[in-house]
Amino acid sequence: MPPRHPEVPVPPPEEIAVSTTRVACDGGGGALGHPLVYLDMGDETAVECGYCDRRFVLAQAAGAYHDPSPRQASGH
């Protein structure tokens, strides 16, 4: 079956630079999130979340880390 709207481009998945090969994803939290899952890159330099398709890429520079869903200290 062909796509309903082939003229509407699909945006690429969100890409997040991380400093470790083991990451956690909750889809951004809130009502639009998903269960917290832990992902391990193994020998690769990237991994994708099976729920939300976020792509976590190992950053070469230590200062390039961006926390995708910062939590308040009371939320730990």
Side-chain angles (χ1 to χ4, degrees), residues 22-45:
R22 191 172 183 131
V23 297
C25 183
D26 64 0
L32 300 177
H34 58 70
L36 180 65
V37 292
Y38 295 93
L39 308 165
D40 193 342
M41 293 181 198
D43 294 333
E44 302 296 321
T45 58

Side-chain angles (χ1 to χ4, degrees), residues 12-23:
E14 180 180 7
E15 196 166 281
I16 300 169
V18 294
S19 61
T20 63
T21 58
R22 191 172 183 131
V23 297

Side-chain angles (χ1 to χ4, degrees):
M1 178 181 290
R4 291 180 184 231
H5 302 285
E7 68 280 354
V8 178
V10 177
E14 180 180 7
E15 196 166 281
I16 300 169
V18 294
S19 61
T20 63
T21 58
R22 191 172 183 131
V23 297
C25 183
D26 64 0
L32 300 177
H34 58 70
L36 180 65
V37 292
Y38 295 93
L39 308 165
D40 193 342
M41 293 181 198
D43 294 333
E44 302 296 321
T45 58
V47 66
E48 286 187 11
C49 176
Y51 282 99
C52 65
D53 291 334
R54 277 183 169 176
R55 182 173 170 83
F56 295 90
V57 180
L58 190 60
Q60 300 302 322
Y65 177 73
H66 169 71
D67 189 355
S69 56
R71 298 177 185 205
Q72 297 175 357
S74 62
H76 291 268

